[in-house]
Amino acid sequence: MSDTSTTDAVAQDTGAETGDAVDEPDDDTGPAIAIYAQWAVFAILTLVALIATLQFYFSASSAIDTFVTDRYRPLFNAAFNLAVVLACGLGLSVLVRRLA
């Protein structure tokens, strides 16, 4: 019987030590590093998207110059630029709502 009583006492002491360890603040570098990594990936993807968007814009303008006659070229350029501005406005409004 003395074995069970000492085992219970050891188990209670171990539980008390475990409970105390949970209450102590840990070094939270893991989540901070993960957040910085996510922001770094976000910045890289934003840069790549910006480069791809600029290349698409200039390629589309070149295609308009190639396939549209001189008479309708300003109209197509205006419509394309308006579509780009509206897409940018939509993207910015979604981003602002998520950040707010």
Side-chain angles (χ1 to χ4, degrees):
M1 286 199 162
S2 80
D3 288 337
T4 57
S5 64
T6 56
T7 306
D8 292 339
V10 171
Q12 290 174 356
D13 289 341
T14 306
E17 290 174 8
T18 305
D20 291 342
V22 172
D23 293 335
E24 293 177 4
D26 293 333
D27 190 18
D28 291 334
T29 59
I33 292 173
I35 290 171
Y36 289 134
Q38 288 175 356
W39 278 108
V41 170
F42 177 76
I44 291 169
L45 290 176
T46 302
L47 181 64
V48 170
L50 178 65
I51 292 169
T53 302
L54 289 174
Q55 288 180 346
F56 171 75
Y57 179 81
F58 291 124
S59 295
S61 294
S62 177
I64 288 172
D65 289 340
T66 301
F67 294 113
V68 177
T69 62
D70 292 337
R71 182 176 178 186
Y72 298 110
R73 198 169 290 157
L75 180 63
F76 275 85
N77 279 331
F80 177 67
N81 289 336
L82 179 64
V84 168
V85 168
L86 291 175
C88 289
L90 178 66
L92 287 172
S93 68
V94 168
L95 183 61
V96 167
R97 286 182 185 173
R98 285 187 182 179
L99 291 176

